[in-house]
Amino acid sequence: MNRNDKCWCGSGLKYKKCHMEQDEKLRELQLAGNIVPNRFIIKTPKEIEGIKASAVVNTGVLDFISDKIKAGMSTEDIDNMVHDYTVEHGAIPAPLNYEGFPKSCCTSINNEVCHGIPSKKAILKEGDIINIDVSTIKDGYFSDASRMFIVGEASEEAKKLVEVTKECLEKGMEQVKPWGHIGDIGAAIYEYATSKGYSVVTMFGGHGIGNEFHEEPFVSHAARKGTGMVMVPGMVFTIEPMINIGKPQVYVDKQNGWTSYTKDGSLSAQWEHQLLVTEDGYEIISY
């Protein structure tokens, strides 16, 4: 672009006053052999505004159900609450019919790692731990987050896993800053999880999100520092570590094609936040 042209991001500013310096730095990094984001990955101010509006509904869903999770309810009861809240707030549950997924959220209990399908037959009982993963489309923009819930009084082992998994997420978020690498996130998560005696699931990871449900980059939770895509202001992605008490291997249910389980039957936990990379760090968009 000419330096006096209006910037490609739609800010209305001249290119030289907006993204020119950042674009020049990205070109230098790319020439030096780094993986850099393209303009689809770097969100415009308008896109960020839309993603944040979607995230208001997404976080609201999790807040709404947070005091309603109890023993004796089915995971379909949870799904109905998520669906109704989302629709009532002018949005669409992103998982519903996504590549054939039949429900409005994912509910993963105990040794289910992720993508558990809500069911009338899956009844929560005292001591269960459950991850509820909700994703929202509002006005064409996507948001995504998940939380762990402990049903009643769980074992110390289960409570500790849930706590350490959230700490893993926090350790990963601490690495999010402009001109760092996506691999820094996974390196921090892996180091912390293993120091506590847990394993990190590598089959799944976080992802870019905003204009689509799943975008680049893939966010590994077990990576090497200094590897992966360079992070720059305007990028939006999730960090969602899945941490196991036992070994990291998982398998996917052959019957439903979605739900993944720990191979050794051990407990698994997951927390997920959606982040925006800012000029000086990050902003949590949905949590």
Side-chain angles (χ1 to χ4, degrees):
M1 296 187 70
N2 184 289
R3 57 189 289 110
N4 289 313
D5 289 343
K6 293 285 181 69
C7 187
W8 56 264
C9 76
S11 65
L13 298 173
K14 290 183 178 180
Y15 183 48
K16 65 183 179 182
K17 296 288 188 181
C18 197
H19 275 90
M20 189 175 82
E21 184 178 344
Q22 178 174 296
D23 286 352
E24 288 175 348
K25 188 167 184 176
L26 285 172
R27 280 192 288 272
E28 290 173 5
L29 287 167
Q30 188 173 33
L31 287 171
N34 292 280
I35 303 168
V36 300
N38 59 36
R39 288 179 183 171
F40 179 80
I41 295 172
I42 301 170
K43 306 310 181 194
T44 68
K46 180 182 177 182
E47 289 168 338
I48 291 169
E49 182 181 348
I51 295 166
K52 286 183 174 181
S54 174
V56 168
V57 178
N58 202 68
T59 300
V61 174
L62 289 167
D63 288 344
F64 175 71
I65 66 173
S66 63
D67 62 351
K68 298 175 175 60
I69 307 304
K70 60 184 179 181
M73 72 188 309
S74 72
T75 53
E76 182 153 302
D77 293 332
I78 298 169
D79 188 73
N80 288 336
M81 287 191 292
V82 168
H83 180 274
D84 292 348
Y85 181 98
T86 304
V87 172
E88 287 166 6
H89 286 77
I92 301 167
L96 186 61
N97 300 319
Y98 174 74
E99 295 186 354
F101 191 83
K103 297 292 183 177
S104 296
C105 67
C106 299
T107 51
S108 305
I109 306 171
N110 296 333
N111 67 323
E112 295 176 345
V113 178
C114 61
H115 304 152
I117 300 176
S119 168
K120 289 179 181 178
K121 297 179 180 179
I123 308 297
L124 297 183
K125 62 183 186 300
E126 187 85 7
D128 281 343
I129 60 172
I130 178 172
N131 176 269
I132 301 175
D133 190 344
V134 302
S135 310
T136 301
I137 311 169
K138 183 171 175 61
D139 299 326
Y141 294 104
F142 290 78
S143 51
D144 191 9
S146 79
R147 297 180 193 173
M148 290 299 301
F149 297 89
I150 297 172
V151 183
E153 190 59 40
S155 67
E156 288 302 316
E157 181 183 50
K159 289 190 287 186
K160 186 65 176 175
L161 173 65
V162 171
E163 177 186 344
V164 170
T165 303
K166 190 170 188 180
E167 290 168 354
C168 285
L169 170 60
E170 291 164 353
K171 293 292 183 183
M173 291 194 299
E174 288 172 2
Q175 300 301 313
V176 178
K177 50 186 175 289
W179 317 114
H181 290 80
I182 285 288
D184 300 349
I185 298 168
I189 290 170
Y190 184 82
E191 180 181 1
Y192 188 75
T194 55
S195 76
K196 297 294 184 179
Y198 298 107
S199 65
V200 181
V201 173
T202 58
M203 185 173 176
F204 304 102
H207 53 91
I209 181 172
N211 297 319
E212 296 178 1
F213 199 167
H214 295 92
E215 302 171 358
E216 292 295 328
F218 176 76
V219 182
S220 172
H221 302 123
R224 286 189 297 111
K225 191 173 179 63
T227 65
M229 186 177 288
V230 173
M231 294 180 280
V232 302
M235 289 176 66
V236 178
F237 52 79
T238 68
I239 304 176
E240 46 187 295
M242 288 151 259
I243 308 298
N244 297 347
I245 283 182
K247 295 180 179 180
Q249 287 79 17
V250 304
Y251 70 93
V252 177
D253 188 310
K254 290 183 179 179
Q255 289 189 319
N256 67 37
W258 283 99
T259 309
S260 65
Y261 298 84
T262 56
K263 201 165 186 179
D264 60 10
S266 64
L267 292 176
S268 184
Q270 177 191 17
W271 289 86
E272 176 184 11
H273 285 359
Q274 181 180 5
L275 309 178
L276 166 69
V277 183
T278 63
E279 295 291 339
D280 56 1
Y282 66 88
E283 177 184 347
I284 300 173
I285 290 182
S286 189
Y287 55 92

